[in-house]
Amino acid sequence: MAILLKTSKMIEMQIDDFLNFISEAGIFFKRGLENYLKDNSAEFEKRLLAVSEHERKADELRLNIEKQLYIHTLIPESRGDVLAILENTDRVMDDIKEALQVFAIEHPAISEEFDALFLELADSSIESVESLIRSVRAFFKDIASVNDHIHKVKFYEREADKIAMSLKNEIFKSDINLSQKIHLRFCVQQIERISDSAEDMSERLAIYTIKRQI
Amino acid sequence: MIKFRTAAWIAAIFVILGAVIEGSGASGTLGKLGSINTMPGAFTVALAAALSVAFMTKLKLPVSTSQAIVGAIIGWNMFSGSITDITSLTKIVLTWIVCPVLSALIAIILYKFFKFFLAKAKIHLLDLDAYTRIGLIIVGAFGAYSLGANNISNVVGVFTSSSPFHDINVYNIFTISGNQILFLIGGIAIAVGIFTYSHKVVKTIGKSLFKLSPVTAFIVVLSQSIVLYLFASTEIRHALMSLGIPKYPLVPVSSSQAVIGAILGIAIAKGGRNIQFNILGKISSGWITTPVIACIISFVALFFVQNVFDQHVYHKTPYSLSLKVIDQLEKEGFPIEKIESFEGTRYSTGLRLQQNLKKIKNLNNKEKSMIYSYAAVDSFYVNPAFLKDIEAENILTYKQFRSLETISRQSFSHKWEFQNELILLSPDWEYRTEKQKNYLAYNAHLKKQYDFIYHYLKILNYK
């Protein structure tokens, strides 16, 4: 019995670490975008590296957690749901990394007039991820408050949608090249996708929460 | 959640413990319903109950061993011309109804409590899983213990009156009564059943009956175990009675109906959606069909065993309304003017007496029960050869044994007559009244002592 509790505690710590990595990657993404917009390429590279490193560690942790859950036949009733939660949250992490990589590889030329809206968009998207992480933590520890956090995920996703819409409007109203406009729209969509994935995940989480109620 | 082998070991050990330690409570009530007094009779009745369970399971009808055994005993009563004690029967049937209802109520309370507690305690999903596993093993063990204590009398209860086992004193440390040996054998039989036959059943129930979350599964097992234990434990009954809860009989109840009751209770606590009310209909139909089928099978089987295999399936218990019986009834406050015209009559069976008593108007059930218990003729002979054996068992007090020695070589034709004589000789033979200290435990022990000497000194009239 002591072994059972010890294993559970170990996996709980790993789940916490996994969620910490995603949360930190979100912050790195925001900082990285700021650095990019300020043309601070050295700092931007550091942030990109940190996000990639976090993504790799989170992947390793997720695989280890999944393996442990099966080896020790833990939570057989909700194991499927927990695995889905971990995998879908990991997908949000992938979206964060991919979005930052777009800036690193494609070097979109962003004129200063769009900076504020790009930062606002990144802010809302990452806030939705933060709320998702809080709701996932609540799923494990405080089931009653999951829905409060899910509500915030949806709120920030809608905010991100609105900002993306006005940013796209601004971009297409401006007198830059069409090719540049399309490129910037792609970058906006990449950042917007982060909050969309967070929202998709939160909807699944709402169902898993109903299932977890006794 | 846990391996079948682990579950089977826990269940087997605790079923045996429950049966041996507390199995006697529920078997007493079955004994009142009909005291099957020969081994072939008991064997046939147990077989009839088993056949009815097998037959009804084959037909996919809801069935409970507890209800089958009651039907089979009534079948024996009808066959042997013994009286079925309506008061005991009513009490038993009432418990069948009370059992799933009580189980549902307990499940509702536990569900509400755990819902509140878990919301406040904020336990991590993985910790909760670990605690639930440990909890399930503990309540599983308690469930098996309660099942052993409550349902053992379904298995071997009918053999108690004809059991060949005597009490065994183990190095003066503790005594295993004859009945406990019987319950041990029954418990081992259940344990063998768990290892050999239950795997499929466990899998079916685990998968198809109802998809329960681990916490609700825990609540269901706990509610069922509490109900079974309530109807098995003499101590709990004494404790509840001292709290002012009315006296209730300890009877074998159906564990599957307790489970269904608990699941329904949880469904109600969750808001009452998706309840299949036809399940309730199925349960209540089982209250009638199971005993009736078991009763018919028992009657037919007894006829066969008696006439084809030439076995004594019962001892005749004659009844006599002699002058001394009527005098005794008067002392007990019975309105004897009602039965004065029956003075000196004798009846070959209880059924005959019952038919004759029908002629008397305004005789209530309590008065009838009094007549049956005082008029029953049980021959006792205080055989000096057996006194040494009784002394060796070390179960009676010194005074009790001395009084028994004083009436050596005397015979008695009624249990009460024998008892009165013993009380005259030693107050140690007297039951305590409700006002006296510790009366419940004392009386339960004294009853055991009486049963012990009856077992030795009763003379059997073979049919």
Side-chain angles (χ1 to χ4, degrees):
Chain A
M1 289 306 144
I3 295 169
L4 186 68
L5 281 170
K6 205 176 161 188
T7 317
S8 297
K9 288 277 175 225
M10 197 185 74
I11 299 173
E12 280 164 33
M13 275 165 61
Q14 288 180 345
I15 291 174
D16 270 339
D17 287 345
F18 171 78
L19 295 173
N20 287 343
F21 280 136
I22 298 173
S23 172
E24 283 171 18
I27 298 166
F28 286 140
F29 174 82
K30 271 191 341 191
R31 300 271 182 275
L33 189 65
E34 275 170 26
N35 297 144
Y36 181 83
L37 295 174
K38 284 179 188 163
D39 283 333
N40 189 348
S41 57
E43 277 301 303
F44 175 76
E45 283 300 325
K46 272 190 202 165
R47 305 297 184 195
L48 180 68
L49 201 69
V51 169
S52 300
E53 191 62 14
H54 273 50
E55 195 268 344
R56 189 184 59 76
K57 283 181 185 165
D59 262 352
E60 276 173 13
L61 267 179
R62 178 177 59 79
L63 287 171
N64 193 38
I65 294 164
E66 290 177 358
K67 212 165 75 185
Q68 294 292 323
L69 287 180
Y70 273 96
I71 289 173
H72 299 286
T73 52
L74 296 174
I75 46 166
E77 298 298 317
S78 37
R79 188 163 51 203
D81 295 349
V82 169
L83 296 194
I85 289 171
L86 297 180
E87 275 160 20
N88 286 300
T89 318
D90 197 35
R91 211 159 286 159
V92 178
M93 174 77 146
D94 291 343
D95 287 342
I96 293 174
K97 190 181 101 179
E98 274 173 32
L100 206 58
Q101 271 175 347
V102 164
F103 288 89
I105 297 165
E106 302 180 15
H107 296 289
I110 303 171
S111 40
E112 254 180 54
E113 56 185 308
F114 304 132
D115 280 6
L117 279 174
F118 260 104
L119 286 175
E120 257 185 68
L121 177 62
D123 219 33
S124 286
S125 273
I126 297 305
E127 271 306 321
S128 73
V129 175
E130 269 302 308
S131 301
L132 176 71
I133 300 296
R134 276 195 283 271
S135 62
V136 173
R137 287 193 209 276
F139 174 82
F140 287 107
K141 290 177 194 160
D142 180 14
I143 198 85
S145 64
V146 174
N147 284 324
D148 296 342
H149 298 300
I150 286 178
H151 171 77
K152 289 202 178 82
V153 177
K154 286 181 189 300
F155 172 80
Y156 285 114
E157 192 275 336
R158 278 198 301 272
E159 282 293 296
D161 268 357
K162 278 187 219 159
I163 300 164
M165 188 66 88
S166 47
L167 185 54
K168 281 181 213 163
N169 266 328
E170 294 292 314
I171 290 167
F172 280 91
K173 264 194 246 163
S174 69
D175 45 9
I176 51 175
N177 289 337
L178 182 63
S179 61
Q180 216 180 338
K181 284 177 185 173
I182 293 170
H183 193 196
L184 288 188
R185 185 192 61 189
F186 176 70
C187 294
V188 172
Q189 282 170 339
Q190 286 299 308
I191 304 174
E192 199 187 354
R193 208 173 74 179
I194 299 172
S195 63
D196 287 341
S197 301
E199 195 202 20
D200 285 350
M201 173 58 215
S202 73
E203 278 165 7
R204 283 162 179 252
L205 192 65
I207 303 292
Y208 301 144
T209 307
I210 295 169
K211 281 169 74 182
R212 235 207 92 184
Q213 261 141 16
I214 67 160
Chain B
M1 294 293 278
I2 55 170
K3 282 183 204 150
F4 174 76
R5 234 186 137 66
T6 321
W9 270 109
I10 295 169
I13 292 167
F14 281 89
V15 155
I16 294 173
L17 283 178
V20 175
I21 299 169
E22 295 195 74
S24 60
S27 64
T29 315
L30 280 190
K32 270 187 209 158
L33 187 68
S35 149
I36 299 164
N37 46 20
T38 72
M39 190 53 101
F43 170 78
T44 314
V45 167
L47 182 70
L51 283 177
S52 347
V53 171
F55 174 65
M56 288 185 72
T57 313
K58 194 94 185 151
L59 293 181
K60 292 189 172 154
L61 290 168
V63 65
S64 135
T65 48
S66 315
Q67 282 142 29
I69 200 76
V70 166
I73 291 173
I74 295 171
W76 181 86
N77 281 350
M78 287 163 73
F79 188 80
S80 63
S82 310
I83 300 156
T84 301
D85 182 8
I86 297 296
T87 323
S88 296
L89 183 63
T90 320
K91 278 183 186 170
I92 290 172
V93 173
L94 265 176
T95 57
W96 294 347
I97 302 165
V98 168
C99 160
V101 175
L102 191 64
S103 182
L105 281 176
I106 294 173
I108 291 174
I109 295 167
L110 288 174
Y111 177 83
K112 297 265 178 202
F113 167 76
F114 275 103
K115 201 172 176 187
F116 174 80
F117 171 74
L118 291 176
K120 292 278 167 208
K122 295 181 184 169
I123 302 168
H124 195 285
L125 175 66
L126 281 147
D127 287 338
L128 183 63
D129 177 70
Y131 296 143
T132 314
R133 274 163 196 252
I134 298 165
L136 270 171
I137 291 171
I138 295 168
V139 294
F142 174 46
Y145 183 88
S146 307
L147 186 78
N150 184 280
N151 275 20
I152 191 67
S153 39
N154 290 339
V155 188
V156 289
V158 288
F159 293 99
T160 48
S161 305
S162 56
S163 146
F165 303 116
H166 291 301
D167 298 10
I168 299 172
N169 193 322
V170 183
Y171 300 112
N172 275 337
I173 305 168
F174 61 92
T175 308
I176 304 171
S177 73
N179 278 349
Q180 278 177 320
I181 299 169
L182 197 63
F183 294 149
L184 175 68
I185 293 169
I188 292 169
I190 299 179
V192 170
I194 292 170
F195 277 104
T196 53
Y197 197 65
S198 74
H199 201 170
K200 253 187 166 177
V201 185
V202 169
K203 271 195 167 172
T204 318
I205 289 176
K207 279 184 185 162
S208 63
L209 181 69
F210 193 85
K211 201 81 185 143
L212 294 168
S213 76
V215 178
T216 41
F218 171 83
I219 295 171
V220 166
V221 180
L222 185 57
S223 315
Q224 174 227 13
S225 316
I226 291 174
V227 171
L228 254 64
Y229 195 59
L230 275 180
F231 285 109
S233 164
T234 329
E235 279 76 25
I236 296 279
R237 185 170 73 148
H238 289 172
L240 289 175
M241 277 162 64
S242 62
L243 290 173
I245 286 176
K247 194 175 175 182
Y248 64 92
L250 299 177
V251 283
V253 286
S254 161
S255 58
S256 49
Q257 291 188 2
V259 167
I260 295 170
I263 293 175
L264 276 175
I266 287 174
I268 292 166
K270 278 185 168 175
R273 286 181 297 272
N274 303 329
I275 295 178
Q276 291 181 313
F277 284 98
N278 58 349
I279 285 182
L280 297 176
K282 268 190 177 178
I283 295 180
S284 27
S285 71
W287 292 334
I288 301 157
T289 50
T290 314
V292 168
I293 290 175
C295 176
I296 295 167
I297 294 180
S298 169
F299 193 92
V300 174
L302 285 164
F303 180 81
F304 256 92
V305 172
Q306 181 182 271
N307 297 306
V308 178
F309 299 106
D310 197 24
Q311 295 292 316
H312 299 291
V313 290
Y314 63 91
H315 294 306
K316 229 171 166 185
T317 307
Y319 286 77
S320 152
L321 283 170
S322 59
L323 188 61
K324 61 181 175 187
V325 171
I326 291 181
D327 275 353
Q328 182 63 26
L329 279 167
E330 191 178 12
K331 273 185 205 161
E332 299 292 332
F334 187 89
I336 50 153
E337 59 281 1
K338 287 185 184 175
I339 52 162
E340 263 173 340
S341 58
F342 287 83
E343 192 183 307
T345 52
R346 201 177 156 84
Y347 306 91
S348 57
T349 66
L351 218 57
R352 294 255 159 82
L353 171 68
Q354 197 176 29
Q355 279 159 359
N356 277 283
L357 288 181
K358 278 183 188 159
K359 292 175 195 162
I360 308 168
K361 285 174 191 163
N362 62 39
L363 203 62
N364 61 34
N365 276 341
K366 198 185 164 197
E367 288 166 347
K368 277 183 195 163
S369 291
M370 273 180 89
I371 296 175
Y372 298 147
S373 63
Y374 284 97
V377 178
D378 284 315
S379 303
F380 293 98
Y381 173 63
V382 186
N383 191 335
F386 287 149
L387 285 179
K388 275 184 187 164
D389 290 344
I390 291 174
E391 190 182 18
E393 301 277 2
N394 213 3
I395 281 167
L396 305 183
T397 63
Y398 176 73
K399 281 182 187 169
Q400 278 174 329
F401 184 73
R402 291 293 303 161
S403 56
L404 206 56
E405 266 187 336
T406 320
I407 52 169
S408 176
R409 294 180 201 282
Q410 284 188 37
S411 54
F412 304 87
S413 48
H414 297 282
K415 217 178 236 183
W416 56 264
E417 201 183 3
F418 184 30
Q419 194 175 323
N420 284 355
E421 191 64 34
L422 287 171
I423 292 169
L424 269 179
L425 294 166
S426 161
D428 278 13
W429 285 111
E430 198 160 10
Y431 281 108
R432 284 185 184 169
T433 60
E434 284 182 27
K435 283 172 192 163
Q436 280 172 294
K437 214 174 93 181
N438 202 16
Y439 80 99
L440 284 166
Y442 180 86
N443 289 354
H445 179 66
L446 184 57
K447 190 180 174 299
K448 264 189 201 163
Q449 292 173 320
Y450 270 121
D451 286 343
F452 167 70
I453 57 162
Y454 292 155
H455 194 76
Y456 268 101
L457 305 175
K458 194 167 172 171
I459 300 164
L460 304 170
N461 315 306
Y462 278 102
K463 156 110 172 92

